[in-house]
């Protein structure tokens, strides 16, 4: 009889607990249907913050930057795969990585998504900011690969045709003109979500002008008017250190500059290139000590005389 009573009490208690739970918790509501680690919606500031962080890592020290410095003889590959890559020819086109870091996963797709959200929120200033970011990211693509997908990039079901490098530069000039206009329109006055300029539209306009000047210099050898246009935009661009476009980094492990992290973890794989070091020495150039530490401290100069 005691056992029977205990069983009844246990069943009743369990039923009461279930009743209490179902009475105050929606077991089929949106909080359980949506994964907190895989959000399907976001504000334009959240989307903006996301692609910023990814591009800081991508443009601030990815394989692309290291390979370019080796091919320009600024650095020298001295260890592991970097020793093999330090050759007078591109021995593996795949070593420039995939398109993903420029088009997906914080690239062009996410930049344009943030722009759509900003436009929907009526914030034209942030529309302009994302346009500057797109021009910056896609200028790297054109610089590295030459002809590349752009006008048809990221259209569902389409691979995207290769656009001529010069055409991409021209399209980016038009995009930057639109950005400069939008940056003069209403938007958030200051914003901690903007990790570069804190939402300062004037600084973003100056960055856009400097980027336009850089793109004009890319075509100066085939366009006689490009040099004058580059000078005009440069004079309206970044002229002081306070306006420098710098990435956000911290001293927290994993948040430092990507190049710094590579040097710390694989410091003997890439060292100062002999060509550049000897050139700076010959010219008695003061930038030598700004670019490189002395041999025997943080790394020897590869092949230097």
């Amino acid at each position: 009889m005691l056992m029977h009573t205990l069983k009844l009490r246990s069943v009743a208690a369990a039923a009461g607990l279930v009743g209490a739970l179902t009475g105050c918790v929606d077991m089929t509501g949106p909080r359980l249907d949506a994964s907190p680690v895989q959000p399907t919606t976001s504000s334009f500031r959240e989307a903006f913050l996301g692609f910023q962080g990814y591009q800081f890592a991508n443009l601030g020290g990815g394989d692309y930057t290291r390979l370019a410095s080796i091919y320009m003889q600024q650095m020298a590959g001295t260890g592991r795969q970097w020793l093999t890559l330090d050759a007078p020819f591109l021995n593996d086109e795949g070593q420039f990585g995939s398109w993903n870091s420029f088009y997906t996963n914080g690239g062009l797709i996410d930049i344009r998504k943030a722009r759509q959200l900003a436009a929907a929120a009526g914030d034209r200033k942030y529309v302009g900011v994302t346009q500057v970011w797109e021009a910056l990211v896609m200028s790297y693509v054109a610089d590295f690969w030459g002809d590349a997908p752009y006008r048809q990039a990221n259209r569902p079901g389409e691979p995207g045709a290769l656009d001529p490098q010069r055409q991409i530069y021209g399209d980016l000039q038009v995009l930057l003109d639109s950005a400069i206009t939008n940056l003069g329109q209403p938007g958030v006055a200051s914003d901690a979500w903007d990790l570069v300029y804190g939402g300062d539209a004037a600084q973003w306009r100056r960055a856009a002008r400097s980027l336009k000047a850089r793109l004009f210099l890319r075509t100066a050898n085939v366009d006689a008017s490009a040099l004058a246009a580059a000078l005009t935009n440069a004079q309206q661009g970044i002229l002081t250190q306070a306006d420098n476009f710098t990435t956000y980094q911290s001293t927290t492990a994993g948040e430092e500059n990507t190049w710094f992290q590579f040097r710390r973890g694989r410091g003997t794989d890439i060292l100062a290139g002999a060509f550049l070091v000897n050139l700076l020495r010959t010219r008695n150039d003061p930038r030598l000590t700004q670019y490189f530490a002395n041999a025997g401290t943080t790394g020897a100069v590869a092949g230097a005389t």
Side-chain angles (χ1 to χ4, degrees):
M1 183 68 178
L2 179 61
M3 291 295 295
H4 180 66
T5 302
L6 290 175
K7 287 181 179 179
L8 287 176
R9 289 176 178 174
S10 298
V11 171
L17 178 61
V18 171
L21 289 174
T22 56
C24 62
V25 178
D26 183 0
M27 302 298 288
T28 60
R31 291 184 179 180
L32 294 179
D33 295 339
S35 169
V37 297
Q38 291 182 312
T40 57
T41 60
S42 66
S43 70
F44 75 83
R45 288 183 181 81
E46 291 168 335
F48 180 68
L49 184 65
F51 81 70
Q52 276 184 114
Y54 187 86
Q55 289 304 324
F56 286 162
N58 185 42
L59 303 181
D63 286 351
Y64 317 94
T65 58
R66 288 190 282 273
L67 281 166
S69 70
I70 288 176
Y71 295 146
M72 294 295 292
Q73 301 184 68
Q74 299 165 346
M75 304 293 288
T78 53
R80 285 180 270 202
Q81 76 267 34
W82 299 97
L83 180 62
T84 303
L85 290 170
D86 195 342
F89 55 87
L90 185 61
N91 53 19
D92 183 356
E93 62 184 17
Q95 290 296 340
F96 261 120
S98 67
W99 300 98
N100 290 348
S101 60
F102 292 94
Y103 290 96
T104 63
N105 302 325
L108 185 62
I109 289 178
D110 289 341
I111 292 172
R112 287 179 172 175
K113 179 61 176 178
R115 183 182 308 147
Q116 291 173 356
L117 293 171
D123 195 315
R124 288 188 60 186
K125 187 188 77 172
Y126 261 98
V127 169
V129 171
T130 61
Q131 288 174 315
V132 178
W133 263 108
E134 178 176 326
L136 176 64
V137 169
M138 291 308 301
S139 71
Y140 271 72
V141 172
D143 288 346
F144 281 123
W145 283 282
D147 297 353
Y150 184 50
R151 290 188 177 181
Q152 297 180 9
N154 301 329
R155 292 184 180 180
E158 297 182 15
L162 295 179
D163 295 324
Q165 182 190 55
R166 187 178 175 185
Q167 175 181 297
I168 296 175
Y169 289 147
D171 289 349
L172 297 182
Q173 292 283 15
V174 174
L175 181 67
L176 286 167
D177 287 338
S178 177
I180 292 169
T181 298
N182 283 320
L183 285 165
Q185 302 303 313
V188 178
S190 62
D191 198 344
W193 293 83
D194 176 3
L195 301 179
V196 180
Y197 291 128
D200 190 310
Q203 289 183 302
W204 276 108
R205 284 196 296 271
R206 288 191 282 272
R209 289 291 183 183
S210 288
L211 185 52
K212 283 179 66 67
R214 176 193 290 183
L215 294 175
F216 276 122
L217 289 176
R218 295 287 192 270
T219 60
N221 61 327
V222 293
D223 182 355
S225 65
L227 282 177
L231 178 60
T232 298
N233 281 277
Q235 291 172 334
Q236 301 176 62
I238 297 172
L239 299 176
T240 67
Q241 290 188 359
D243 287 334
N244 282 347
F245 185 109
T246 57
T247 62
Y248 173 83
Q249 316 293 161
S250 79
T251 56
T252 302
E255 292 185 1
E256 309 98 331
N257 176 270
T258 315
W259 185 286
F260 173 82
Q261 291 187 56
F262 181 89
R263 288 285 300 147
R264 181 180 59 190
R266 301 180 64 173
T268 59
D269 285 10
I270 298 178
L271 299 176
F275 179 85
L276 178 58
V277 170
N278 290 333
L279 176 63
L280 294 174
R281 284 175 173 169
T282 300
R283 298 174 54 180
N284 196 28
D285 196 312
R287 290 175 294 181
L288 175 62
T289 55
Q290 296 175 3
Y291 290 167
F292 306 115
N294 292 329
T297 55
T298 59
V301 177
T305 58

